[in-house]
Coordinates of all heavy atoms in Angstrom, one line a residue:
W58 N 5.4 -11.2 -5.6 CA 4.9 -11.5 -6.9 C 4.5 -13.0 -7.1 O 3.5 -13.5 -7.5 CB 5.9 -11.2 -8.0 CG 5.4 -11.4 -9.5 CD1 4.6 -10.6 -10.2 CD2 5.5 -12.6 -10.2 NE1 4.3 -11.2 -11.4 CE2 4.9 -12.5 -11.4 CE3 6.3 -13.8 -9.9 CZ2 4.9 -13.4 -12.3 CZ3 6.3 -14.8 -10.9 CH2 5.7 -14.6 -12.0
H59 N 5.4 -13.9 -6.6 CA 5.3 -15.4 -6.6 C 3.8 -15.7 -5.9 O 3.1 -16.5 -6.2 CB 6.3 -16.0 -5.9 CG 7.5 -16.3 -6.9 ND1 8.6 -15.5 -6.9 CD2 7.6 -17.2 -7.9 CE1 9.5 -15.9 -7.8 NE2 8.9 -17.0 -8.4
L60 N 3.7 -15.1 -4.6 CA 2.5 -15.4 -3.8 C 1.2 -14.9 -4.6 O 0.2 -15.5 -4.4 CB 2.7 -14.7 -2.5 CG 3.7 -15.3 -1.6 CD1 3.7 -14.5 -0.3 CD2 3.4 -16.7 -1.3
Q61 N 1.3 -13.7 -5.3 CA 0.1 -13.3 -6.0 C -0.3 -14.1 -7.2 O -1.5 -14.0 -7.6 CB 0.5 -11.8 -6.5 CG 0.7 -10.7 -5.4 CD -0.6 -10.8 -4.5 OE1 -1.6 -10.4 -4.8 NE2 -0.2 -11.2 -3.2
Q62 N 0.7 -15.0 -7.6 CA 0.3 -15.9 -8.7 C -0.6 -17.0 -8.3 O -1.1 -17.8 -9.0 CB 1.5 -16.3 -9.4 CG 2.4 -15.3 -9.8 CD 1.8 -14.3 -10.7 OE1 1.1 -14.6 -11.8 NE2 1.9 -13.1 -10.3
S63 N -0.6 -17.2 -6.9 CA -1.4 -18.4 -6.4 C -2.1 -18.0 -5.1 O -1.5 -18.0 -4.0 CB -0.5 -19.6 -6.1 OG -1.1 -20.5 -5.3
P64 N -3.3 -17.6 -5.1 CA -4.2 -17.2 -4.0 C -4.0 -18.2 -2.9 O -4.0 -17.8 -1.6 CB -5.5 -17.1 -4.5 CG -5.4 -16.9 -6.0 CD -4.2 -17.6 -6.3
E65 N -4.0 -19.6 -3.2 CA -4.0 -20.5 -2.1 C -2.6 -20.4 -1.4 O -2.5 -20.6 -0.2 CB -4.1 -22.0 -2.7 CG -5.4 -22.2 -3.3 CD -5.6 -21.8 -4.9 OE1 -4.4 -21.7 -5.4 OE2 -6.6 -21.5 -5.2
L66 N -1.5 -20.3 -2.2 CA -0.3 -20.2 -1.6 C -0.1 -18.9 -0.8 O 0.5 -18.9 0.3 CB 0.8 -20.2 -2.7 CG 2.2 -20.5 -2.3 CD1 2.4 -21.9 -1.5 CD2 3.1 -20.5 -3.4
A67 N -0.7 -17.8 -1.2 CA -0.7 -16.6 -0.5 C -1.5 -16.7 0.8 O -1.0 -16.3 1.9 CB -1.3 -15.5 -1.3
Q68 N -2.6 -17.5 0.8 CA -3.2 -17.7 2.0 C -2.5 -18.4 3.0 O -2.4 -18.2 4.2 CB -4.7 -18.3 1.8 CG -5.5 -18.6 3.0 CD -5.8 -17.3 3.7 OE1 -6.1 -16.3 3.1 NE2 -5.7 -17.3 5.0
A69 N -1.8 -19.5 2.6 CA -0.9 -20.3 3.4 C 0.2 -19.4 4.0 O 0.5 -19.6 5.2 CB -0.4 -21.5 2.7
A70 N 0.9 -18.6 3.2 CA 1.9 -17.7 3.7 C 1.3 -16.7 4.7 O 1.9 -16.5 5.7 CB 2.5 -16.9 2.5
K71 N 0.2 -16.2 4.5 CA -0.5 -15.4 5.5 C -0.6 -16.0 6.7 O -0.4 -15.4 7.8 CB -1.9 -14.9 4.9 CG -2.7 -14.0 5.9 CD -4.0 -13.6 5.2 CE -4.6 -12.6 6.2 NZ -5.9 -12.1 5.6
T72 N -1.1 -17.3 6.8 CA -1.3 -18.0 8.0 C 0.1 -18.2 8.8 O 0.0 -17.9 9.9 CB -1.9 -19.5 7.6 OG1 -3.1 -19.4 7.0 CG2 -2.0 -20.3 8.9
V73 N 1.1 -18.4 8.0 CA 2.5 -18.6 8.8 C 2.9 -17.2 9.3 O 3.4 -17.1 10.3 CB 3.4 -19.2 7.8 CG1 4.8 -19.2 8.4 CG2 3.0 -20.5 7.3
M74 N 2.9 -16.3 8.3 CA 3.4 -14.9 8.8 C 2.6 -14.2 9.8 O 3.3 -13.4 10.5 CB 3.4 -14.0 7.5 CG 4.2 -14.5 6.4 SD 6.0 -14.9 6.8 CE 6.5 -15.9 5.5
N75 N 1.3 -14.4 9.9 CA 0.5 -13.8 11.0 C 0.5 -14.6 12.3 O -0.1 -14.2 13.2 CB -0.9 -13.6 10.6 CG -1.0 -12.5 9.5 OD1 -0.1 -11.6 9.5 ND2 -1.9 -12.6 8.6
S76 N 1.2 -15.7 12.3 CA 1.3 -16.5 13.6 C 2.6 -16.3 14.4 O 3.6 -16.1 13.7 CB 1.1 -18.1 13.2 OG 1.2 -18.7 14.5
N77 N 2.5 -16.4 15.7 CA 3.7 -16.3 16.4 C 4.1 -17.7 16.8 O 5.1 -17.9 17.6 CB 3.5 -15.4 17.7 CG 3.4 -14.0 17.4 OD1 4.0 -13.5 16.5 ND2 2.5 -13.3 18.0
Q78 N 3.4 -18.7 16.3 CA 3.7 -20.1 16.7 C 3.9 -20.9 15.4 O 3.4 -20.4 14.4 CB 2.5 -20.8 17.5 CG 2.3 -20.1 18.7 CD 3.3 -20.3 19.8 OE1 4.0 -21.3 19.9 NE2 3.5 -19.2 20.5
P79 N 4.7 -22.0 15.3 CA 4.7 -22.8 14.1 C 3.4 -23.3 13.6 O 2.5 -23.5 14.5 CB 5.6 -24.0 14.6 CG 6.4 -23.5 15.8 CD 5.5 -22.5 16.4
V80 N 3.1 -23.4 12.3 CA 1.8 -23.6 11.8 C 1.8 -25.0 10.9 O 2.8 -25.1 10.2 CB 1.4 -22.4 11.0 CG1 0.1 -22.7 10.1 CG2 1.2 -21.2 11.7
Q81 N 0.8 -25.7 11.1 CA 0.7 -26.8 10.3 C 0.0 -26.5 9.0 O -1.1 -25.9 9.0 CB -0.2 -28.0 11.0 CG -0.4 -29.3 10.3 CD 0.9 -30.1 10.3 OE1 1.6 -30.1 11.2 NE2 1.2 -30.7 9.1
L82 N 0.7 -26.7 7.8 CA 0.1 -26.4 6.6 C -0.2 -27.7 5.7 O 0.4 -28.7 6.0 CB 1.2 -25.6 5.7 CG 1.5 -24.2 6.3 CD1 2.6 -23.7 5.3 CD2 0.4 -23.4 6.3
E83 N -1.0 -27.5 4.8 CA -1.3 -28.6 3.8 C 0.1 -28.9 3.1 O 0.9 -28.0 2.9 CB -2.3 -28.1 2.8 CG -2.7 -29.2 1.8 CD -1.9 -29.3 0.5 OE1 -1.5 -28.2 0.0 OE2 -1.5 -30.4 0.2
T84 N 0.4 -30.1 2.9 CA 1.7 -30.6 2.6 C 2.2 -29.8 1.3 O 3.4 -29.3 1.4 CB 1.8 -32.1 2.2 OG1 1.3 -32.7 3.5 CG2 3.2 -32.6 1.9
M85 N 1.5 -29.8 0.3 CA 1.9 -29.1 -1.1 C 2.2 -27.6 -0.8 O 3.2 -27.1 -1.3 CB 1.0 -29.5 -2.2 CG 1.1 -30.9 -2.7 SD 2.7 -31.5 -3.0 CE 3.2 -30.4 -4.4
Q86 N 1.3 -27.0 0.0 CA 1.7 -25.5 0.1 C 2.8 -25.3 1.0 O 3.6 -24.4 0.6 CB 0.4 -24.9 0.9 CG -0.9 -24.9 0.0 CD -2.1 -24.4 0.7 OE1 -2.2 -24.5 2.0 NE2 -3.1 -24.1 0.0
G87 N 3.0 -26.1 1.9 CA 4.2 -25.9 2.8 C 5.5 -26.3 2.0 O 6.5 -25.5 2.1
L88 N 5.4 -27.3 1.2 CA 6.6 -27.6 0.3 C 6.9 -26.4 -0.7 O 8.1 -26.1 -0.9 CB 6.4 -28.9 -0.5 CG 6.5 -30.1 0.4 CD1 6.0 -31.4 -0.4 CD2 7.8 -30.3 1.1
K89 N 5.8 -25.9 -1.3 CA 6.1 -24.8 -2.2 C 6.6 -23.5 -1.5 O 7.6 -22.9 -2.0 CB 4.8 -24.4 -2.9 CG 4.3 -25.4 -4.0 CD 2.9 -25.0 -4.6 CE 2.6 -26.1 -5.6 NZ 1.2 -25.8 -6.1
L90 N 6.1 -23.2 -0.3 CA 6.6 -22.1 0.4 C 8.1 -22.3 0.9 O 8.8 -21.3 0.8 CB 5.8 -21.8 1.6 CG 4.4 -21.1 1.3 CD1 3.5 -21.1 2.7 CD2 4.5 -19.8 0.7
H91 N 8.4 -23.4 1.2 CA 9.7 -23.8 1.5 C 10.6 -23.8 0.4 O 11.8 -23.2 0.4 CB 9.8 -25.2 2.2 CG 11.2 -25.6 2.7 ND1 12.0 -26.3 1.9 CD2 11.8 -25.3 3.8 CE1 13.2 -26.4 2.6 NE2 13.0 -25.8 3.8
S92 N 10.2 -24.3 -0.8 CA 11.1 -24.3 -2.0 C 11.4 -22.9 -2.6 O 12.4 -22.7 -3.2 CB 10.3 -25.1 -3.2 OG 9.2 -24.4 -3.8
I93 N 10.4 -21.9 -2.4 CA 10.8 -20.5 -2.7 C 11.5 -19.8 -1.6 O 11.8 -18.7 -1.8 CB 9.5 -19.7 -3.3 CG1 8.5 -19.6 -2.2 CG2 9.0 -20.5 -4.5 CD1 7.3 -18.7 -2.6
G94 N 11.6 -20.4 -0.6 CA 12.6 -19.9 0.5 C 11.8 -19.0 1.5 O 12.5 -18.3 2.4
L95 N 10.4 -19.1 1.7 CA 9.7 -18.2 2.7 C 9.6 -18.8 4.0 O 9.5 -18.1 5.0 CB 8.4 -17.8 2.1 CG 8.4 -16.8 1.0 CD1 7.0 -16.6 0.4 CD2 9.1 -15.5 1.3
V96 N 9.6 -20.2 4.0 CA 9.4 -20.7 5.4 C 10.5 -21.9 5.7 O 11.1 -22.4 4.8 CB 8.0 -21.4 5.6 CG1 6.9 -20.4 5.3 CG2 7.8 -22.6 4.6
N97 N 10.6 -22.2 7.0 CA 11.4 -23.3 7.5 C 10.3 -24.3 8.1 O 9.3 -23.8 8.5 CB 12.5 -22.9 8.4 CG 13.7 -22.4 7.7 OD1 13.9 -22.8 6.6 ND2 14.4 -21.5 8.5
F98 N 10.7 -25.5 8.4 CA 10.0 -26.4 9.1 C 10.5 -26.8 10.5 O 11.7 -27.0 10.6 CB 9.7 -27.6 8.3 CG 8.7 -27.4 7.1 CD1 9.2 -27.3 5.8 CD2 7.4 -27.3 7.4 CE1 8.3 -27.0 4.8 CE2 6.5 -27.1 6.4 CZ 6.9 -27.0 5.1
Q99 N 9.7 -26.8 11.5 CA 10.1 -27.4 12.7 C 9.1 -28.4 12.9 O 7.9 -28.3 13.3 CB 9.9 -26.3 13.9 CG 10.9 -25.2 13.7 CD 10.6 -24.1 14.8 OE1 9.7 -24.2 15.6 NE2 11.5 -23.1 14.8

Side-chain angles (χ1 to χ4, degrees):
W58 182 86
H59 279 99
L60 293 176
Q61 294 306 297
Q62 304 311 301
S63 171
E65 300 84 24
L66 198 57
Q68 183 58 46
K71 178 179 182 175
T72 301
V73 174
M74 300 303 166
N75 288 332
S76 177
N77 292 322
Q78 302 294 322
V80 174
Q81 183 72 42
L82 295 175
E83 186 273 318
T84 302
M85 289 310 295
Q86 291 173 343
L88 291 174
K89 286 178 183 178
L90 288 174
H91 185 264
S92 74
I93 63 173
L95 289 179
V96 302
N97 278 331
F98 285 102
Q99 296 176 353

